């Protein structure tokens, strides 16, 4: 029997506005299938009983039974008498997600490929390894040389830091989970922006948090006005809900691409300090500026904040090294929380990053050129093939939050899979099934991959019955010679 289970009410919230043209059972099955392949329903999660879901959705049980049968036929549901129906991915064993087939383009991951000189740095790091083989190799806080290098990087960016303010983690996601467990008790409130990086709110929920969402707008809708409104929303949420923690992405927010101004950062941090709220700033993309004007030091330069960083978006996602910058008492608390889950970050990976950090300016210059090319190419292709879409012109980061003009993001994501493209639907970045009018697209892929992805999106868009502005309606095409 599955350990995870969805109630009918929870599934209803995830489904959102699922009804569409055609039969109800097919529309319901397709939306549940998207939730599974998109990760919003985890593999091996037990779905609600047919009778419960039918009552909740106001459907006949026959309709829900037909939807579940359709999902079983597609390999997305496995039912055992007496144990219910659990989510599956086609061709995947229980619990483990299926790797995408080679012919798929995976646009759901917003991360660049590895640095071209990473193999050489890795070979050099192996030469450093013998000096670390004389002890047990369990390192819960991080190698001293790496913590010094991280501290030096913060200092160079305008935030004086010492190594004892640093804990090295197994990537940024591990850092988010550790901080959530250390700061949040079951039932505590936590403020978070929405839309937001989905694995962040998953970690907050896993720690028992009650989420307090604050809306964030796309990057270039009206930057000054939106910045003031979002700041007011964050300040009011902190004052009125008395949260123990606030999770924000101040630079090139994922997925909207917006940057919080220095004035807004100071206001949010001041409100949090008065309330006793710990602000956790995820800065994994903070240095990935393309052409952002102004100077933006780490958020803790503007007030008390705990910072998260990693090399996943600058060096390579497969190098699982991140870190937390915090005051010493919290570092000690994190050490106590960490040991039941893991015993430290791998040494060899730390040695690689230690060699890379002094070259960060060189790395960022390379990434800046790649991101500029990727952003400009994506904007050009969408304007050509999908002119009715709104693509915010981001000035840094790795994603843009595209407005579709219609609440069809989930349908589009499914249609794109049929065209060989994997994209994350807009609701993946909400906590309540919202954002069907948006699609997150990465700007960090090669021109060739971006070309193929946008063409697949255009085919998927047309398959849903949409025709780009200025293009003849399908029924008129036959008369054009």
């Amino acid at each position: 029997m599955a350990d995870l289970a969805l109630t009918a009410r929870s599934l209803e919230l995830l489904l959102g506005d699922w009804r569409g043209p055609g039969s109800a059972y097919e529309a319901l099955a397709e939306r549940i299938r998207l939730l599974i392949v998109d990760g919003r329903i985890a593999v091996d999660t037990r779905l609600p009983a047919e009778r419960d879901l039918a009552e909740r959705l106001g459907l006949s049980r026959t309709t829900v039974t037909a939807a579940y049968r359709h999902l079983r036929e597609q390999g997305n549901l496995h039912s055992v008498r007496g144990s219910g129906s659990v989510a599956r991915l086609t061709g995947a064993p229980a619990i483990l997600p299926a790797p995408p087939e080679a012919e798929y383009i995976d646009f759901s991951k917003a991360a660049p490929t590895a640095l071209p000189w990473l193999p050489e740095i890795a070979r050099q790091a192996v030469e450093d390894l013998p000096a670390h083989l004389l002890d047990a190799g369990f390192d819960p806080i991080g190698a001293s040389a790496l913590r010094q290098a991280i501290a030096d990087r913060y200092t160079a960016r305008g935030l004086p830091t010492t190594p004892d303010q640093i804990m090295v983690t197994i990537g940024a996601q591990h850092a988010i989970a550790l901080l959530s467990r250390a700061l949040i008790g079951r039932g505590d409130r936590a403020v978070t922006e929405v839309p937001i990086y989905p694995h962040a709110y998953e970690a907050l929920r896993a720690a028992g948090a009650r989420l307090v969402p604050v809306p964030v707008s796309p990057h270039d809708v009206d930057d000054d006005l939106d910045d003031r409104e979002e700041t007011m929303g964050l300040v009011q949420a902190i004052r009125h809900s008395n949260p123990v923690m606030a999770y924000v992405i101040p630079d090139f927010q994922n997925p909207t691409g917006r940057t919080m101004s220095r004035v807004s950062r100071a206001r949010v941090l001041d409100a949090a300090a008065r309330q006793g709220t710990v602000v956790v700033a995820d800065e994994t993309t903070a240095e990935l500026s393309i052409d952002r004007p102004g100077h933006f030091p780490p958020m803790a330069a503007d007030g008390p904040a705990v910072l998260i960083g990693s090399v996943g978006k600058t060096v390579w996602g497969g190098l699982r090294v991140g870190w937390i910058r915090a005051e010493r008492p919290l570092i000690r608390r994190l050490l106590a929380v960490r040991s039941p889950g893991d015993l430290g970050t791998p040494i060899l990976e730390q040695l690689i990053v230690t060699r890379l950090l002094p070259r960060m300016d060189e790395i960022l210059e390379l990434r800046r050129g790649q991101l500029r090319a990727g952003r400009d190419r994506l904007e050009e292709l969408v304007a050509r093939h999908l002119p009715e879409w709104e693509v915010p012109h981001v000035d840094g980061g790795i994603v843009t939050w595209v407005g579709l003009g219609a609440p069809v993001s989930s349908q589009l994501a499914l249609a794109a899979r049929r065209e060989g493209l994997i994209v994350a639907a807009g609701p993946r970045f909400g906590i309540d099934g919202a954002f069907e009018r948006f699609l997150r697209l990465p700007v960090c892929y090669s021109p060739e991959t971006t070309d193929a992805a946008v063409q697949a999106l255009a085919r998927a868009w047309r398959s849903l019955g949409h025709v780009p502005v200025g293009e003849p309606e399908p029924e008129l095409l036959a008369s054009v010679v």
Side-chain angles (χ1 to χ4, degrees):
M1 182 178 293
D3 293 329
L4 301 175
L6 272 178
T7 64
R9 181 178 181 277
S10 296
L11 181 53
E12 180 188 30
L13 291 173
L14 287 172
L15 287 169
D17 183 13
W18 59 270
R19 291 171 173 82
S23 64
Y25 87 87
E26 287 180 325
L28 178 59
E30 282 296 279
R31 184 55 58 90
I32 294 174
R33 187 166 82 87
L34 174 75
L35 293 172
I36 295 171
V37 300
D38 206 26
R40 282 175 275 169
I41 295 178
V43 172
D44 211 40
T45 296
R46 186 172 64 249
L47 270 60
E50 295 169 4
R51 178 185 291 108
D52 294 344
L53 186 58
E55 291 178 357
R56 187 74 197 183
L57 298 180
L59 300 171
S60 70
R61 185 174 177 183
T62 302
T63 298
V64 176
T65 299
Y68 277 24
R69 182 175 62 248
H70 189 60
L71 287 166
R72 285 193 294 270
E73 291 169 352
Q74 292 183 314
N76 293 118
L77 205 61
H78 177 68
S79 301
V80 177
R81 186 178 296 276
S83 298
S85 300
V86 297
R88 290 284 188 266
L89 284 173
T90 304
I95 301 175
L96 296 177
E101 292 84 348
E103 63 268 21
Y104 277 85
I105 298 172
D106 191 350
F107 236 41
S108 68
K109 295 180 176 65
T113 55
L115 285 176
W117 58 83
L118 183 58
E120 178 57 32
I121 295 295
R123 284 191 287 269
Q124 295 173 11
V126 171
E127 298 174 2
D128 301 332
L129 185 59
H132 297 265
L133 299 179
L134 300 179
D135 59 31
F138 299 110
D139 185 12
I141 193 167
S144 58
L146 177 55
R147 288 187 290 120
Q148 182 66 62
I150 295 169
D152 290 345
R153 184 67 192 173
Y154 277 121
T155 300
R157 293 176 57 206
L159 179 64
T161 302
T162 57
D164 56 0
Q165 293 175 287
I166 303 296
M167 169 186 273
V168 180
T169 62
I170 310 172
Q173 181 60 35
H174 181 222
I176 297 169
L178 276 176
L179 285 164
S180 298
R181 295 205 301 270
L183 297 172
I184 296 171
R186 187 155 300 278
D188 286 340
R189 291 182 176 88
V191 166
T192 180
E193 302 162 324
V194 288
I196 195 63
Y197 174 59
H199 299 310
Y201 72 70
E202 290 167 355
L204 294 170
R205 277 180 165 164
R210 289 187 289 168
L211 300 183
V212 181
V214 176
V216 176
S217 298
H219 169 67
D220 65 353
V221 174
D222 186 341
D223 287 347
D224 292 336
L225 176 62
D226 286 332
D227 186 62
R228 291 194 298 271
E229 291 179 349
E230 290 158 16
T231 302
M232 184 180 302
L234 284 167
V235 169
Q236 290 179 346
I238 290 170
R239 287 175 177 170
H240 296 162
S241 65
N242 194 30
V244 300
M245 174 177 164
Y247 172 84
V248 297
I249 305 178
D251 300 272
F252 314 122
Q253 200 253 11
N254 184 3
T256 66
R258 79 93 173 85
T259 289
M260 189 185 298
S261 71
R262 295 287 305 276
V263 172
S264 292
R265 297 177 197 219
R267 287 188 59 196
V268 170
L269 293 172
D270 179 68
R274 292 173 183 273
Q275 204 69 29
T277 300
V278 177
V279 173
V280 174
D282 186 337
E283 297 190 337
T284 52
T285 59
E287 295 194 82
L288 290 176
S289 172
I290 300 174
D291 43 27
R292 178 177 64 180
H295 173 60
F296 291 85
M299 190 171 185
D302 294 311
V306 176
L307 307 181
I308 292 173
S310 84
V311 294
K313 307 299 185 185
T314 52
V315 177
W316 184 45
L319 196 59
R320 305 304 303 146
V321 174
W323 54 83
I324 297 168
R325 183 200 182 274
E327 296 306 315
R328 298 171 187 83
L330 180 54
I331 294 292
R332 289 194 293 269
R333 189 172 173 185
L334 289 166
L335 282 169
V337 170
R338 180 171 186 169
S339 56
D342 73 277
L343 298 177
T345 308
I347 298 298
L348 183 56
E349 282 85 341
Q350 293 190 64
L351 296 176
I352 294 173
V353 177
T354 302
R355 281 184 169 270
L356 284 168
L357 281 180
R359 300 179 62 177
M360 188 53 68
D361 289 340
E362 180 185 0
I363 292 169
L364 294 174
E365 186 62 30
L366 171 69
R367 294 305 192 198
R368 186 174 296 113
Q370 292 173 336
L371 292 171
R372 180 181 289 108
R375 176 197 64 185
D376 295 349
R377 185 61 174 164
L378 180 69
E379 291 179 1
E380 174 193 345
L381 289 168
V382 172
R384 183 194 310 166
H385 295 289
L386 297 154
E388 63 269 50
W389 289 10
E390 296 181 3
V391 183
H393 180 75
V394 295
D395 53 16
I398 53 178
V399 296
T400 187
W401 189 232
V402 176
L404 303 177
V408 294
S409 183
S410 294
Q411 295 178 37
L412 180 62
L414 279 174
R417 278 187 173 258
R418 292 191 286 270
E419 299 295 337
L421 176 69
I422 300 172
V423 291
R428 184 73 176 94
F429 303 89
I431 61 177
D432 53 7
F435 305 112
E436 278 289 1
R437 291 181 175 271
F438 294 92
L439 188 70
R440 189 197 73 170
L441 295 181
V443 301
C444 54
Y445 283 74
S446 69
E448 297 78 15
T449 300
T450 301
D451 287 1
V454 173
Q455 290 175 24
L457 280 171
R459 293 193 301 271
W461 185 247
R462 288 166 177 77
S463 76
L464 298 179
H466 298 278
V467 179
V469 176
E471 187 171 300
E473 293 291 334
E475 60 267 27
L476 299 180
L477 293 178
S479 63
V480 177
V481 178

